[in-house]
Amino acid sequence: MEEIKIRLAKESDIPTIDKLLYEVNQVHSDVRPDLFKPGAKKYTDEELKKIIADDKTPIFVAEKENVILGYAFCIQKQFLNDNNMTSIKTLYIDDLCVDEAARNQHIGKTLYHYVIAYAKEHGFYNVTLNVWADNIGAVKFYEKIGLKIQKIGMEKIL
């Protein structure tokens, strides 16, 4: 059996990335239909083309036997000349998804470790992400691979 390979996404990967974007949105719209539209996705294909072309927003895809089974969208962030924030470089994981049919094969963990290695190699101070509290499976996954709470967003629905 072939090993999981991680590489940068290409425009030709967009149809598969789209499928995974719909999967992620489905998870979110199932638990928070007040916030997420069912049957939608986070990015249009035109937006994806721009993201893929931009070095500051790398998308890493996990591939096994030439099939994309997951992705990690990343964004380079840095506060420059800010009043109160230091100028550390952060690599923000905007979205991480593993195909529903390919879960429990350590693909998410492999993607995450690749992102960590990339961040270290490129001089980032930290790697951050946001996770929706109602997505309990994702929260548990991130805790299991060693992420710690940095900040908590709270709400009161009126």
Side-chain angles (χ1 to χ4, degrees):
M1 184 149 247
E2 194 175 315
E3 210 175 293
I4 299 165
K5 293 178 186 167
I6 310 294
R7 62 168 174 79
L8 282 169
K10 306 177 286 203
E11 268 194 38
S12 59
D13 299 327
I14 289 176
T16 306
I17 291 170
D18 277 343
K19 176 187 174 293
L20 296 174
L21 283 167
Y22 281 116
E23 274 188 31
V24 168
N25 191 77
Q26 182 68 45
V27 169
H28 292 142
S29 67
D30 283 352
V31 294
R32 289 302 303 262
D34 57 325
L35 299 177
F36 293 91
K37 300 173 185 175
K41 63 179 179 149
K42 189 171 186 172
Y43 299 110
T44 66
D45 288 356
E46 282 307 308
E47 289 169 326
L48 285 173
K49 287 176 187 174
K50 289 177 185 169
I51 292 167
I52 288 168
D54 188 344
D55 290 342
K56 296 206 179 301
T57 55
I59 302 173
F60 301 107
V61 294
E63 197 174 55
K64 194 174 187 179
E65 298 173 4
N66 297 317
V67 176
I68 294 172
L69 299 174
Y71 64 63
F73 280 67
C74 298
I75 300 172
Q76 296 179 20
K77 294 187 171 193
Q78 187 173 25
F79 293 103
L80 293 173
N81 304 313
D82 191 81
N83 287 337
N84 72 322
M85 300 296 285
T86 64
S87 61
I88 62 162
K89 281 177 38 178
T90 295
L91 188 61
Y92 172 70
I93 299 175
D94 179 48
D95 206 7
L96 191 149
C97 176
V98 173
D99 190 317
E100 205 171 25
R103 301 230 169 110
N104 300 312
Q105 296 179 38
H106 306 292
I107 295 165
K109 185 177 177 181
T110 302
L111 269 166
Y112 172 73
H113 286 298
Y114 187 91
V115 169
I116 293 296
Y118 174 90
K120 284 179 180 177
E121 183 181 320
H122 289 85
F124 288 90
Y125 172 77
N126 61 356
V127 172
T128 63
L129 58 81
N130 291 329
V131 59
W132 289 91
D134 289 327
N135 188 349
I136 295 163
V139 171
K140 287 181 180 177
F141 167 72
Y142 292 128
E143 289 173 342
K144 185 177 179 181
I145 61 174
L147 285 153
K148 306 281 183 236
I149 294 173
Q150 180 190 45
K151 58 185 170 184
I152 298 173
M154 301 176 82
E155 74 176 334
K156 167 79 173 140
I157 297 175
L158 306 176

